[in-house]
Amino acid sequence: MSELLSHESWKRFQRACLAATATTHMDLQGVLFDRSGHVISPALSVARVAFGAASEDVYFLRFAEAEEAVQDRSVEIEEIRHLAHIDDLTGLANRRALFKELDHRIASMRARTHDDLAVFYLDLDDFKKVNDLAGHAAGDEMLCLVANCLGVVFEENGLAARLGGDEFVGLIQVPTEADALEIANSLQGRMRRLGLKSGSRFFTIKGSIGICHLKPDLVASGAAASDVLHQADKACLRGKAEGGGSVNFEVFNPEEDACSPDVSGWQPEDLLMKDLSLHAMPILALDSKAVLGSEILLRLQGEKELACAPRALIASAERSGFMSQVDGWTLDQVLDAISISQSRRWFAVNLSLGALADNRQKDLLRSRLSSEPLLAGRLCLEISEKDYLRQPDLCENFIRFASELGCQTAIDDFAGHWPVLERLTELKVDWIKLDPALNTLSSAPERKCMILRRMIAAAHDIGIRVIAKNVGDGSEMAFWQTLDVDAVQGFHVGSPKPWPDSDL
């Protein structure tokens, strides 16, 4: 300071400060110049502080610019701390924040009586298709939609986190196991309503949920966050092995080893065509109660059938790229069987996207049906609504090809998504097979049933017949009769039987 101000200038500066602070009792604001008149500090303030009867007052010079820099740095540090616990894509908590909160909740349960803790591990099913078909930007958007669902479900007294990739975790205190299952079903319901449009494609998503339920009396055994999360992950993988889209529940076991989840059973690389078998499930006309045809279902034989559920077999084969070969084998077996049958029933075969894109399947159908054209009318080729939404052009091209050959066609697991309804008006499809989830409407309010009734009527208006799936009892059968569906299938109608040993 002495290098910038002369003694006389400093005295004048002190008198000005004294006058200002004495009259206003406020800090003096100003600027500080060097000898050349350049501003050293754009925001200088002077505070006068008197120490009782001291002969001289003390003045503090504060350079606001430096203080603001310190304050800005503090804000920046807080922001960094915040971001270190947030997933930058979805805005949910990240892995670090999840483990911190899980440790805190477990410690709280040790310290006092508390509700049970439920940890939900969500792994999206078939998410890779979104990235592969629509690009990573669409994949990121789908992850954000899923994250919003978790945020809503766990926003009150819970935490939603993204572990990475397409894996998420939610945790919340719950009074009972039934409450945990209700939360998982709520999350599944919200995800079923998600949809993402990308160009001509439309994507839906579902996920497998594993729940680990931790009771207060087990906390004292030394439960760690990693152990609880591991067991939730294990329950989730059990659902993936069963074909996905399910909720699996288990109570925390303190004796279980915290190693990598072990999901035994059939693996895709074990697939041999000789291990496969076909079953047939009847499709019943509601007006005449006569069997119209059957859906052909894929199964494993022998001990492998016990190790792998049908949905798991198909999901694993699709993930591993084997499904087109399996579809080709199935088509060949069905054509062989019906070529020697005198029955007029038709048989439905569900085809994967891989089969639709594989010209070998078209060549197989063309060569077999050109020499035996009457077989075409006994073959109904099904495409799932999910695949139609993802690859509409590919599916429509195949439907036109199959129709030109004389085959029947169907949209399977139809839930009424508008992008499919819109395009069906210009496409020749013989059947839609309703999503089994619609069976729950049998106990729904009449207003909801009204929409479904009108959708079925609209399908009839454009020449499409309707099949209800997974009809499990007489009440569901009666429900579908009131809605005027054409046919039903499910265990109430008839269970799957080995085929072609069963009646052709």
Side-chain angles (χ1 to χ4, degrees):
M1 183 69 71
S2 60
E3 293 180 0
L4 299 177
L5 300 175
S6 66
H7 179 73
E8 188 58 34
S9 299
W10 176 242
K11 288 295 185 182
R12 286 198 301 272
F13 181 66
Q14 282 182 311
R15 286 194 293 272
C17 291
L18 179 61
T21 56
T23 56
T24 65
H25 303 286
M26 295 177 61
D27 291 351
L28 176 67
Q29 305 293 325
V31 295
L32 187 64
F33 298 92
D34 65 10
R35 293 178 185 274
S36 303
H38 297 109
V39 175
I40 294 176
S41 171
L44 167 72
S45 64
V46 181
R48 174 189 176 214
V49 181
F51 291 95
S55 58
E56 289 191 27
D57 292 329
V58 176
Y59 298 89
F60 285 95
L61 276 68
R62 179 171 63 87
F63 295 91
E65 186 180 51
E67 184 171 290
E68 288 168 6
V70 172
Q71 291 174 345
D72 289 344
R73 180 59 177 164
S74 298
V75 171
E76 182 180 349
I77 290 171
E78 285 304 311
E79 289 177 351
I80 291 172
R81 286 174 179 164
H82 174 72
L83 292 174
H85 292 83
I86 296 297
D87 176 64
D88 58 355
L89 174 64
T90 64
L92 298 182
N94 61 14
R95 178 185 290 268
R96 180 185 293 106
L98 169 67
F99 275 89
K100 183 176 180 181
E101 180 66 15
L102 191 48
D103 282 331
H104 171 71
R105 300 246 177 169
I106 292 173
S108 297
M109 291 174 74
R110 286 196 188 101
R112 62 185 183 276
T113 302
H114 212 295
D115 280 344
D116 299 356
L117 177 66
V119 177
F120 303 75
Y121 199 110
L122 168 66
D123 190 348
L124 301 183
D125 298 328
D126 214 16
F127 172 73
K128 186 174 182 294
K129 289 279 182 65
V130 183
N131 281 334
D132 291 347
L133 295 174
H136 288 278
D140 287 349
E141 189 173 350
M142 180 64 83
L143 291 174
C144 289
L145 291 175
V146 173
N148 287 339
C149 287
L150 274 93
V152 171
V153 171
F154 294 99
E155 68 178 348
E156 188 175 351
N157 303 321
L159 178 78
R162 180 186 176 212
L163 283 184
D166 60 349
E167 296 178 334
F168 298 83
V169 171
L171 58 90
I172 194 168
Q173 310 287 159
V174 292
T176 66
E177 296 176 6
D179 292 293
L181 289 171
E182 185 178 342
I183 290 170
N185 290 329
S186 171
L187 178 57
Q188 292 277 41
R190 287 181 178 276
M191 289 176 60
R192 278 195 294 270
R193 295 192 289 271
L194 293 181
L196 174 66
K197 185 171 176 56
S198 178
S200 63
R201 297 186 171 97
F202 187 86
F203 295 92
T204 57
I205 197 71
K206 62 180 182 177
S208 301
I209 299 177
I211 306 173
C212 180
H213 193 84
L214 180 61
K215 296 178 176 295
D217 57 348
L218 293 176
V219 172
S221 63
S226 57
D227 298 334
V228 177
L229 196 61
H230 156 74
Q231 292 186 32
D233 184 17
K234 182 180 175 182
C236 174
L237 287 175
R238 193 162 64 244
K240 299 286 280 188
E242 294 167 355
S246 62
V247 175
N248 281 268
F249 182 95
E250 67 175 58
V251 176
F252 176 73
N253 179 6
E255 303 300 323
E256 185 172 327
D257 234 356
C259 56
S260 298
D262 176 28
V263 180
S264 57
W266 180 84
Q267 297 299 321
E269 57 268 21
D270 300 331
L271 179 63
L272 297 173
M273 293 304 175
K274 68 181 180 64
D275 296 326
L276 298 177
S277 66
L278 299 176
H279 283 54
M281 174 173 265
I283 299 171
L284 187 76
L286 268 183
D287 54 356
S288 65
K289 300 301 187 289
V291 176
L292 295 174
S294 297
E295 180 174 359
I296 300 300
L297 305 171
L298 193 66
R299 297 289 188 270
L300 286 169
Q301 297 189 74
E303 294 180 357
K304 291 186 177 180
E305 183 179 8
L306 301 175
C308 179
R311 288 174 62 233
L313 166 63
I314 293 171
S316 297
E318 285 184 337
R319 287 195 302 269
S320 305
F322 296 150
M323 202 61 220
S324 178
Q325 300 172 47
V326 172
D327 286 344
W329 176 85
T330 303
L331 277 175
D332 210 26
Q333 298 295 309
V334 171
L335 289 168
D336 282 346
I338 63 177
S339 66
I340 60 174
S341 166
Q342 301 303 312
S343 172
R344 301 181 63 180
R345 295 179 187 174
W346 48 266
F347 296 89
V349 178
N350 202 297
L351 298 178
S352 64
L353 280 177
L356 304 189
D358 189 344
N359 287 329
R360 290 174 297 181
Q361 311 309 335
K362 288 185 176 181
D363 292 341
L364 169 65
L365 288 167
R366 191 183 290 112
S367 63
R368 293 295 300 269
L369 298 179
S370 60
S371 59
E372 300 177 272
L374 294 180
L375 295 183
R378 298 189 59 197
L379 191 62
C380 181
L381 301 176
E382 300 180 359
I383 298 170
S384 73
E385 185 192 51
K386 177 186 70 174
D387 287 342
Y388 193 129
L389 290 167
R390 293 178 173 185
Q391 293 266 49
D393 295 336
L394 175 64
C395 292
E396 290 181 0
N397 288 338
F398 189 89
I399 289 171
R400 292 190 184 96
F401 165 80
S403 298
E404 288 169 2
L405 290 176
C407 299
Q408 298 184 65
T409 56
I411 304 297
D412 193 20
D413 291 334
F414 181 78
H417 286 94
W418 174 248
V420 177
L421 283 170
E422 180 185 27
R423 299 178 78 132
L424 283 181
T425 58
E426 302 175 2
L427 193 65
K428 184 183 183 305
V429 173
D430 298 282
W431 300 90
I432 57 174
K433 302 179 77 172
L434 298 174
D435 189 325
L438 296 176
N439 283 325
T440 59
L441 293 179
S442 61
S443 58
E446 175 59 25
R447 291 171 66 88
K448 285 189 176 181
C449 298
M450 189 184 302
I451 296 174
L452 182 57
R453 181 180 291 110
R454 291 181 178 176
M455 184 180 72
I456 293 169
H460 289 156
D461 289 342
I462 59 176
I464 299 176
R465 290 170 288 175
V466 181
I467 300 173
K469 294 176 59 177
N470 289 23
V471 176
D473 55 42
S475 64
E476 290 181 354
M477 183 93 151
F479 168 72
W480 290 116
Q481 282 183 303
T482 63
L483 268 62
D484 201 25
V485 301
D486 300 274
V488 293
Q489 68 180 82
F491 283 99
H492 185 68
V493 175
S495 58
K497 303 291 185 185
W499 191 85
D501 301 337
S502 55
D503 186 14
L504 284 172

